Amino acid sequence: MYNFSKIENKWRKYWADHDTFHTDVWDFSKPKFYVLDMFPYPSGVGLHAGHVEGYTATDIVSRMKRMQGYNVLHPMGYDSFGLPAEQYAVSTGNHPNGFTQKNIETFTNQLKSIGFDYDWSKTLQTSDPKFYKWTQWIFKQLYLDGYAKYVDMPVNWCEELGTVLSNDEVIDGKSERGGYPVVRRNMKQWVIDQAAFAEKLLAGLEEIDWPESTKEMQRNWIGKSVGAHVVFKVSGTDHEFTVFTTRPDTLFGATYCVMSPEHALVNEITTPEKKAEVEAYQKICATKSDLERTELNKEKTGVFIGAYAINPVNQQEIPIYISDYVLATYGTGAIMAVPAHDDRDYEFAKKFDIPIVQVLEEVTGIPHENEKRKNSIVAIVYDKKQDKYLTIQWGQNGGRLFVGGTRQTGESAVDCAIREIGEETGYTDIELVCEDFKINHHYYAYNKDVYFNIEATPLLFELKSDEKKEQQLDEDEKFAVEWVSRECIESEIKDELHAKAFSYVMNPNAMVGDGIHIHSEFLDGMNKEEAIHAMISWLEEHHYGNKQVNYRMREWIFARQRYWGEPVPVVYLEDGKIHVLDDDELPLVLPELEDYRGHGGKAPLENAKEWKNYSHNGMVGVRETSTMPGSAGSSWYFLRYIDPSNDNEFANYELLKHWMPVDLYIGGPEHAVGHLMYSRIWNHYLYDKGLSPVKEPFQKLVHQGMILGANGIKMGKRYPEYAIDPLDIVRDYGADTLRLYEMFMGPLEASKPWSQQGVEGAQKFLDRIYRLYESGKVQDGENKNLEKIYHQTVKKVTEDFETLNFNTAISQMMIFVNAVYKEDIFPKEYAEGFIKLLNPVAPHIAEEIWEMLGHTGTMAFEEWPTYDESKIVEDTREIAVQVNGKVRATIMISVDEDENMIKEKAMNAENVLRHIEGKEIVKVIVIKGKIVNIVVK
RNA sequence: GCCUGAGUGGCGGAAUUGGUAGACGCACAGGACUUAAAAUCCUGCGAGAAUCAACCCUCGUGCCGGUUCAAGUCCGGCCUUAGGCACCA
């Protein structure tokens, strides 16, 4: 009888008593394997089902690798600084550490009850002064090397939380925690210049085995864009300003400039008569929170400041506006606006009625030698009353088209369109709705035997009345004038130019794609890429600008007005200088407080009057009272696990060199840009300094999916009634069942709903295994019937564990057990091999069965089973025979069977004969070992 | 709007990367064991037409189209959904 609780208690005790999973990090005799879980914040709620999923995955790999002869490092610790403990301290007046330690104890006991093979002698807590001494020390190095800076800058300020937040802690203008409004405010801040690492971070992504989606998110977060700086002079003044653009090729199309309302030059160049208006607008923007700014996204706002800029390429004077669609914090805080080729500028120009100048034409059709050039139009007429469009049906001579025609010398596109509509259809009472961007089209005219390259203007008219005049048609023009629906146009108008013209006028917006340049002097005829290079050269040559790279990534604000975090080890001296603490002053320990609240937006540490005042070696000053953000400790903890009790350095370099990088890192996708970016930054920094041996800390990263409630809804705060407490499952079904079930639910990375019946199924499987080993079928000897499936199982399970496809590995184990149930003899060799395969998933029952098989002690270091490929290869095989792609029969073939023999067999299979009878055999396709397909007519 | 994934029976999910769709599990149904139930073991289980029954036939991987001897898998266009980004010039 499978008594899970007895077995599990027994083996948990055994592992603890024998220090089974202690890792000797100095043992370099075996290959190393460092497998890591993202360490949890020890919340009062304790372990949830999602933790168990990720931790079981690493546990399986860890246990398998150990059996495969690796020296495995699989540690666990706690990210123990954080808001809940602080809130507890605020409301009770007790030190947050007590609360934290209690939660950590609960967490540790829960983790142990699930049987994870962590080496608890290497655990760590980020809130432990022994640990944060080194967090402070690394910060100090960042400061000394100029990466950590104290600067005045706009920050995300949350009044309710009384602290500054980083960009990733702000969601839609609200705080990530609590959802309180966040406003922008200027403050002196400690920041880390992460953009300095941007290129290294981008390059590093190429070398690591991470989910592509996570890499992509990081790339977007870094937000590299290559472009140019362009200098504009302000007309009639000595002032000039620089803009950043990724599209210097469109400079000839710049029809205005925009500065952010905060731009330093605005107040100097605004004309006196515009002053009041400009200041009013600036005021509105300054008081807007981020939330309001995003809400106001839909409608562009702005003010003309009265000044003009001079476009360096053509000396044209263009107006300067201010608008909050230009951000002060990105680029230079000023832009050149090219409404024809930028969506935002287009929108703004439409609203403020600013000229739109096209300098790039989309190209359609295929170019040819000796083309004749001409200008033409595509005129679309819309009749609102019947919701139909005017088309011309040319039948064989071109299908359905809109009205088209060639512009005569001196004739405008609109005039040409009106003329052509009148001549071809007779309609005269029409009104122009829009004239869209020109298209550069190549085509061949069959009737004239000429290749054309035309510049075609799409126009949209609305029909006002049915008023008509006589059509004026040439002899050869035979067509029908038809009003058709939009659907009809979309399916019947095949001509590339006309279809494109229709989509242009139906959805008028900026032309942002590639094409060829026009009205751009030395750029004319070039495509986007060529023109960008040409323009940058021109700018550099004429000293009007240069190539420039910008990053969206901002400075990482590295201070919070909170108590429960690492104190920033810095003192402001009386002479105004900044003193970073000497090494022997570290750790700078958090003082006990009477009151853990911050008052009036000030940090709680302001309450520590004595602690705050600094006097040392003749220096007098006050300490920084803000603390580091939550992500500080987690940005390097993976290095500390390797040498967690070292008091002389954060970790011994020789050990780091042996153990880094982390071979497998598993954790939730919510850390894709936060923790995983910060860790890479710190590690890159330490690498540059020669303190970390590898550039990239996490060689392979996998995100576990979310475990949903049984109804498919996210568990957690909103629906506590659907929450599953994994400890209940351990109590009622056992830890092995919990582990097995969570691994069998589906792919590790997918979100999956919980199923109580599924848990019972998992337990049934373990029970079935247990009974099998009790049954007496396990005997010395052989059973040929099981040979193939045993070797298949070893192969499949080994490979699937390696690639983290646990669900299919377990499925294979079930298939194997089902097969053994049909046999009378279960050879001991297979019985032992199989239990080794089971061990990583369900270690307690595996250890117990291992003992039942006559062994003493743990199986944790037993050798992982091997398989013999030759035993897996089948000598005969069933393959399908298809007739015209449909399976009609299966035949047995031997591996080395001759192709003609296979054909012969296939053609004579009973059901195949029925399907090919009386038909002509076109061909027979034989794919060795896979399939036969007979094609008949 | 943009960038990533995903969409397969009643359900969770398989499918060697283009080669017998639905492995394995759950649920359900039938049978065996039992005085009986539970547990266990065995069998069946995508939909449909037809048949005493078996073979067999048609349809079927979100939708429409394409490539191919062959498409869940590749290509084009949509729809739905999850996550991320969102005036970044």
Side-chain angles (χ1 to χ4, degrees):
Chain A
M1 186 54 207
Y2 171 43
N3 182 336
F4 62 84
S5 72
K6 192 175 148 202
I7 291 172
E8 292 181 1
N9 284 323
K10 169 179 163 187
W11 288 100
R12 263 205 314 274
K13 185 166 186 306
Y14 178 94
W15 296 328
D17 290 350
H18 292 79
D19 246 347
T20 304
F21 302 116
H22 179 81
T23 304
D24 177 5
V25 288
W26 285 104
D27 177 6
F28 294 180
S29 67
K30 298 186 217 169
K32 68 98 184 180
F33 197 84
Y34 185 3
V35 52
L36 185 63
D37 300 289
M38 288 186 189
F39 63 166
Y41 173 76
S43 78
V45 186
L47 209 59
H48 59 70
H51 287 128
V52 175
E53 187 189 18
Y55 299 165
T56 305
T58 54
D59 205 58
I60 290 170
V61 174
S62 150
R63 286 173 183 269
M64 174 173 76
K65 289 285 168 189
R66 188 177 294 109
M67 293 173 82
Q68 288 174 336
Y70 288 85
N71 193 14
V72 175
L73 180 60
H74 187 211
M76 177 51 77
Y78 298 96
D79 193 11
S80 49
F81 276 131
L83 202 56
E86 175 138 347
Q87 281 165 343
Y88 162 85
V90 165
S91 57
T92 64
N94 294 323
H95 195 280
N97 192 43
F99 175 83
T100 303
Q101 293 312 317
K102 202 182 109 245
N103 287 345
I104 286 178
E105 197 188 323
T106 310
F107 237 93
T108 304
N109 287 334
Q110 292 182 342
L111 288 169
K112 285 180 177 170
S113 78
I114 299 171
F116 297 128
D117 69 354
Y118 296 121
D119 177 357
W120 286 105
S121 73
K122 294 181 175 58
T123 192
L124 54 81
Q125 302 174 12
T126 52
S127 62
D128 181 349
K130 285 193 182 126
F131 179 88
Y132 72 66
K133 169 182 177 178
W134 298 107
T135 311
Q136 290 171 329
W137 185 84
I138 296 170
F139 173 85
K140 177 180 166 178
Q141 311 310 311
L142 283 162
Y143 170 75
L144 294 174
D145 288 328
Y147 292 111
K149 300 182 231 180
Y150 192 53
V151 294
D152 195 38
M153 67 174 300
V155 296
N156 305 305
W157 175 258
C158 179
E159 191 60 46
E160 272 74 7
L161 295 174
T163 188
V164 159
L165 300 172
S166 71
N167 284 334
D168 63 300
E169 290 169 315
V170 182
I171 293 161
D172 284 339
K174 292 182 186 161
S175 64
E176 184 185 20
R177 277 177 177 277
Y180 303 116
V182 174
V183 295
R184 295 199 77 74
R185 192 202 248 199
N186 259 2
M187 273 179 88
K188 266 279 203 187
Q189 283 300 320
W190 280 98
V191 298
I192 289 177
D193 180 14
Q194 45 183 354
F197 297 94
E199 287 300 327
K200 284 170 184 166
L201 294 170
L202 284 171
L205 289 176
E206 305 304 319
E207 293 165 18
I208 49 183
D209 181 8
W210 283 26
E212 201 43 55
S213 58
T214 304
K215 288 188 185 182
E216 200 53 33
M217 269 197 237
Q218 295 216 340
R219 285 189 199 105
N220 292 340
W221 187 257
I222 295 166
K224 178 179 180 174
S225 48
V226 182
H229 272 174
V230 182
V231 179
F232 283 76
K233 288 199 164 63
V234 180
S235 178
T237 73
D238 293 334
H239 293 295
E240 57 179 38
F241 63 95
T242 305
V243 303
F244 173 69
T245 177
T246 54
R247 293 294 304 277
D249 61 310
T250 61
L251 189 49
F252 284 96
T255 54
Y256 64 101
C257 282
V258 188
M259 292 179 169
S260 75
E262 301 90 346
H263 195 282
L265 206 56
V266 172
N267 294 333
E268 304 204 36
I269 60 174
T270 300
T271 54
E273 58 273 23
K274 288 284 178 185
K275 206 113 204 157
E277 207 186 331
V278 165
E279 279 169 8
Y281 184 75
Q282 285 175 319
K283 207 167 173 187
I284 293 169
C285 294
T287 53
K288 261 187 217 170
S289 69
D290 273 15
L291 179 61
E292 286 164 330
R293 276 182 74 133
T294 43
E295 274 176 352
L296 288 168
N297 250 347
K298 288 147 202 151
E299 189 78 353
K300 292 268 180 295
T301 60
V303 175
F304 172 47
I305 66 170
Y308 290 84
I310 297 168
N311 187 338
V313 282
N314 55 15
Q315 306 305 313
Q316 225 173 54
E317 292 203 350
I318 54 179
I320 302 172
Y321 285 73
I322 56 169
S323 171
D324 69 352
Y325 87 88
V326 173
L327 307 175
T329 45
Y330 182 79
T332 61
I335 63 157
M336 66 179 214
V338 184
H341 304 291
D342 181 278
D343 285 322
R344 295 147 301 181
D345 299 344
Y346 183 85
E347 210 185 305
F348 191 87
K350 279 277 173 193
K351 181 159 176 192
F352 289 87
D353 210 17
I354 303 167
I356 297 170
V357 175
Q358 183 182 11
V359 293
L360 203 63
E361 276 177 352
E362 187 166 359
V363 180
T364 57
I366 299 149
H368 197 271
E369 290 170 5
N370 304 322
E371 289 173 316
K372 276 180 90 167
R373 287 197 59 99
K374 61 181 186 181
N375 295 329
S376 69
I377 56 104
V378 177
I380 295 153
V381 182
Y382 175 61
D383 181 6
K384 207 171 183 178
K385 279 197 217 91
Q386 46 170 348
D387 190 24
K388 284 189 172 166
Y389 299 86
L390 185 61
T391 64
I392 289 174
Q393 178 59 268
W394 290 89
Q396 301 289 347
N397 307 321
R400 192 182 293 285
L401 294 172
F402 296 109
V403 173
T406 306
R407 275 164 70 178
Q408 296 165 358
T409 324
E411 188 183 36
S412 78
V414 179
D415 291 344
C416 171
I418 292 170
R419 178 176 56 75
E420 290 284 353
I421 293 165
E423 286 175 7
E424 295 192 6
T425 70
Y427 289 100
T428 52
D429 193 8
I430 52 173
E431 188 179 85
L432 179 71
V433 178
C434 81
E435 175 181 342
D436 217 308
F437 296 120
K438 295 184 189 75
I439 299 165
N440 190 297
H441 184 60
H442 300 272
Y443 74 103
Y444 172 66
Y446 292 95
N447 50 351
K448 300 181 185 128
D449 188 27
V450 178
Y451 288 95
F452 280 108
N453 175 211
I454 63 171
E455 189 177 68
T457 308
L459 300 112
L460 177 65
F461 292 89
E462 198 178 314
L463 186 74
K464 304 312 283 183
S465 75
D466 284 343
E467 204 174 288
K468 272 176 123 174
K469 64 174 185 182
E470 187 93 347
Q471 283 166 270
Q472 299 167 11
L473 302 178
D474 295 343
E475 293 268 312
D476 58 337
E477 291 187 306
K478 289 204 181 84
F479 55 76
V481 174
E482 288 172 7
W483 289 93
V484 300
S485 68
R486 184 167 185 168
E487 290 73 47
C488 174
I489 285 166
E490 274 159 6
S491 64
E492 287 188 21
I493 293 200
K494 302 276 189 255
D495 180 84
E496 210 186 338
L497 172 65
H498 284 239
K500 183 72 71 183
F502 186 70
S503 80
Y504 266 42
V505 300
M506 282 300 103
N507 192 14
N509 50 22
M511 196 298 242
V512 295
D514 201 355
I516 64 158
H517 277 272
I518 54 166
H519 308 318
S520 299
E521 301 179 13
F522 58 91
L523 302 180
D524 283 354
M526 292 185 193
N527 69 18
K528 178 171 150 182
E529 206 56 43
E530 295 161 350
I532 288 174
H533 287 116
M535 180 57 91
I536 290 174
S537 306
W538 188 92
L539 288 168
E540 287 177 347
E541 202 178 306
H542 294 81
H543 306 288
Y544 277 121
N546 53 280
K547 187 173 175 175
Q548 182 71 29
V549 176
N550 252 322
Y551 303 95
R552 186 191 223 133
M553 186 185 229
R554 309 277 162 79
E555 272 135 335
W556 173 12
I557 296 171
F558 206 71
R560 300 288 181 274
Q561 286 64 47
R562 297 238 182 90
Y563 173 79
W564 194 228
E566 302 87 347
V568 176
V570 156
V571 175
Y572 306 101
L573 300 176
E574 284 177 316
D575 61 4
K577 287 203 176 109
I578 289 172
H579 168 62
V580 61
L581 296 187
D582 293 337
D583 285 359
D584 61 14
E585 295 174 277
L586 298 179
L588 172 60
V589 179
L590 279 168
E592 290 257 358
L593 297 186
E594 303 254 311
D595 180 2
Y596 291 97
R597 273 171 299 183
H599 294 279
K602 288 198 169 162
L605 282 175
E606 292 284 338
N607 301 342
K609 297 274 183 282
E610 270 179 47
W611 176 88
K612 216 184 122 181
N613 290 317
Y614 176 82
S615 172
H616 186 72
N617 289 347
M619 287 181 284
V620 177
V622 287
R623 292 187 195 277
E624 169 64 51
T625 55
S626 56
T627 55
M628 298 186 200
S631 34
S634 61
S635 296
W636 74 282
Y637 77 111
F638 45 90
L639 297 169
R640 185 67 178 173
Y641 277 136
I642 292 167
D643 193 10
S645 47
N646 194 329
D647 283 330
N648 303 316
E649 50 193 339
F650 69 81
N652 177 286
Y653 190 77
E654 204 183 332
L655 285 177
L656 291 176
K657 206 166 170 189
H658 180 70
W659 286 97
M660 286 299 285
V662 173
D663 298 284
L664 175 65
Y665 194 28
I666 295 185
E670 66 274 16
H671 298 106
V673 282
H675 159 63
L676 287 167
M677 184 70 87
Y678 300 135
S679 299
R680 293 185 61 221
I681 291 167
W682 276 39
N683 192 76
H684 269 276
Y685 167 70
L686 292 171
Y687 172 80
D688 289 347
K689 256 187 113 59
L691 297 173
S692 170
V694 291
K695 288 183 187 172
E696 288 295 331
F698 313 123
Q699 183 49 41
K700 177 172 177 163
L701 169 76
V702 175
H703 298 299
Q704 87 270 19
M706 207 178 327
I707 295 198
L708 307 168
N711 52 3
I713 292 174
K714 205 188 270 192
M715 291 190 221
K717 285 171 214 130
R718 285 185 67 189
Y719 299 96
E721 64 271 31
Y722 297 115
I724 276 85
D725 185 346
L727 281 304
D728 289 348
I729 307 298
V730 172
R731 184 193 62 220
D732 298 339
Y733 299 91
D736 285 337
T737 293
L738 174 66
R739 296 164 59 112
L740 178 74
Y741 171 64
E742 288 210 16
M743 292 301 101
F744 187 57
M745 285 173 87
L748 180 64
E749 299 185 56
S751 290
K752 313 158 277 262
W754 186 268
S755 156
Q756 200 63 22
Q757 282 163 335
V759 177
E760 284 162 23
Q763 190 183 39
K764 248 189 327 199
F765 177 57
L766 291 177
D767 211 351
R768 202 166 142 84
I769 292 170
Y770 196 83
R771 269 183 277 113
L772 182 62
Y773 282 86
E774 278 184 319
S775 68
K777 279 186 185 178
V778 179
Q779 293 168 20
D780 291 324
E782 283 192 8
N783 185 343
K784 278 279 174 195
N785 292 341
L786 290 174
E787 187 178 67
K788 187 168 112 188
I789 195 164
Y790 172 76
H791 286 274
Q792 274 174 339
T793 302
V794 173
K795 180 176 187 205
K796 176 89 177 142
V797 171
T798 306
E799 288 173 355
D800 282 356
F801 280 178
E802 193 74 50
T803 51
L804 315 181
N805 296 119
F806 305 112
N807 55 333
T808 48
I810 292 165
S811 152
Q812 181 64 37
M813 289 195 257
M814 288 171 169
I815 292 168
F816 178 73
V817 170
N818 289 345
V820 178
Y821 259 78
K822 293 195 170 62
E823 298 295 321
D824 294 325
I825 294 169
F826 185 16
K828 192 161 182 189
E829 182 199 345
Y830 296 166
E832 293 193 342
F834 176 76
I835 219 65
K836 288 179 188 172
L837 298 180
L838 181 68
N839 179 52
V841 185
H844 309 86
I845 190 175
E847 293 272 27
E848 184 68 17
I849 290 173
W850 186 248
E851 199 174 78
M852 281 160 61
L853 289 167
H855 302 279
T856 50
T858 180
M859 66 183 300
F861 298 92
E862 292 298 325
E863 199 181 322
W864 190 252
T866 54
Y867 58 92
D868 183 346
E869 195 77 51
S870 70
K871 302 262 165 62
I872 296 170
V873 178
E874 298 141 314
D875 37 1
T876 63
R877 190 171 179 164
E878 189 192 51
I879 65 163
V881 182
Q882 298 180 328
V883 179
N884 284 347
K886 286 187 174 148
V887 180
R888 297 302 182 187
T890 55
I891 51 170
M892 292 305 294
I893 56 153
S894 60
V895 230
D896 48 2
E897 190 142 340
D898 180 71
E899 196 169 309
N900 287 323
M901 279 292 294
I902 297 172
K903 232 182 242 188
E904 177 88 17
K905 274 190 192 171
M907 305 280 279
N908 288 308
E910 192 196 341
N911 198 39
V912 172
L913 282 172
R914 202 178 345 214
H915 281 92
I916 61 176
E917 202 182 1
K919 290 184 179 153
E920 184 199 337
I921 289 161
V922 181
K923 61 175 157 175
V924 180
I925 294 144
V926 180
I927 309 294
K928 268 216 144 168
K930 284 188 175 167
I931 206 157
V932 179
N933 193 5
I934 303 164
V935 185
V936 297
K937 224 167 30 187

